[in-house]
Amino acid sequence: MSEKRTFSISELSQEFDVTTRSIRFYEDQGLLKPTRRGQTRIFSTKDRVRLKLILRGKRMGFSLAETRELFDLWDETLTGNEKQLLKMLEFLADRRAQLEQQKNDIAQAEMEIETAETRCREALEELQKKKKQQDAGQKESKQTVT
């Protein structure tokens, strides 16, 4: 981590590849608490770490409310506590269950697509056979007439 003690919004935006608007949104939601020097936001190393955790939680599928709850539990003590760790484990278990359900749903959808595709190919093949038979029958009729 950087030795620097404070960060501007543009520095955090570039470092984490997020928009300044997103950072201001996280601030509005109470997840980041920069100090101000006039109109300028000054972010601490704590804000930087929190932004990193917000983005990590987002990638794992945590809601901002869940992230806020974890931050609030951490803020109750200087070093976090058992309550926070248990809550984090609960969130992780819930997210894992959601992902497992999504994987099962995707597998089911793939099977249904495969079945529909097979049926369509069989029906198309049958139609093409009938068309060939009709074309062959029409050719024979024309040859008999002439």
Side-chain angles (χ1 to χ4, degrees):
M1 185 162 56
S2 174
E3 294 291 320
K4 192 173 182 182
R5 295 286 181 209
T6 61
F7 306 87
S8 71
I9 193 169
S10 59
E11 288 173 323
L12 291 179
S13 172
Q14 288 175 347
E15 180 179 353
F16 292 105
D17 194 26
V18 296
T19 64
T20 55
R21 185 176 183 202
S22 294
I23 295 172
R24 286 189 298 272
F25 176 75
Y26 298 140
E27 179 187 355
D28 291 343
Q29 296 299 306
L31 298 169
L32 301 174
K33 297 174 176 109
T35 57
R36 292 202 179 247
R37 192 173 304 139
Q39 291 292 327
T40 306
R41 291 171 172 85
I42 307 295
F43 292 89
S44 66
T45 54
K46 180 179 177 180
D47 290 316
R48 183 186 171 279
V49 168
R50 282 183 176 229
L51 179 57
K52 187 175 185 175
L53 293 172
I54 291 165
L55 298 173
R56 181 180 295 157
K58 186 176 169 187
R59 282 192 307 274
M60 289 193 298
F62 288 4
S63 70
L64 291 181
E66 290 169 327
T67 300
R68 183 181 307 102
E69 187 174 348
L70 290 171
F71 285 174
D72 290 346
L73 289 172
W74 181 263
D75 290 344
E76 288 178 2
T77 67
L78 294 176
T79 59
N81 59 30
E82 181 181 2
K83 189 175 174 183
Q84 181 202 32
L85 295 172
L86 290 170
K87 182 56 75 175
M88 179 66 171
L89 287 172
E90 179 185 322
F91 287 162
L92 290 170
D94 289 348
R95 185 63 185 135
R96 183 182 304 277
Q98 289 171 357
L99 289 172
E100 284 299 322
Q101 184 60 53
Q102 287 175 331
K103 284 189 334 189
N104 292 338
D105 292 345
I106 289 169
Q108 182 66 35
E110 286 177 328
M111 286 179 8
E112 290 174 9
I113 287 170
E114 192 173 313
T115 299
E117 185 178 36
T118 300
R119 288 181 180 165
C120 286
R121 291 190 190 286
E122 289 171 353
L124 180 60
E125 191 178 307
E126 190 62 34
L127 284 173
Q128 289 171 341
K129 278 183 189 178
K130 286 181 183 178
K131 184 177 179 189
K132 278 184 183 179
Q133 289 172 351
Q134 286 175 349
D135 290 348
Q138 288 175 354
K139 257 188 181 177
E140 278 184 30
S141 298
K142 285 182 182 177
Q143 287 177 353
T144 324
V145 173
T146 52

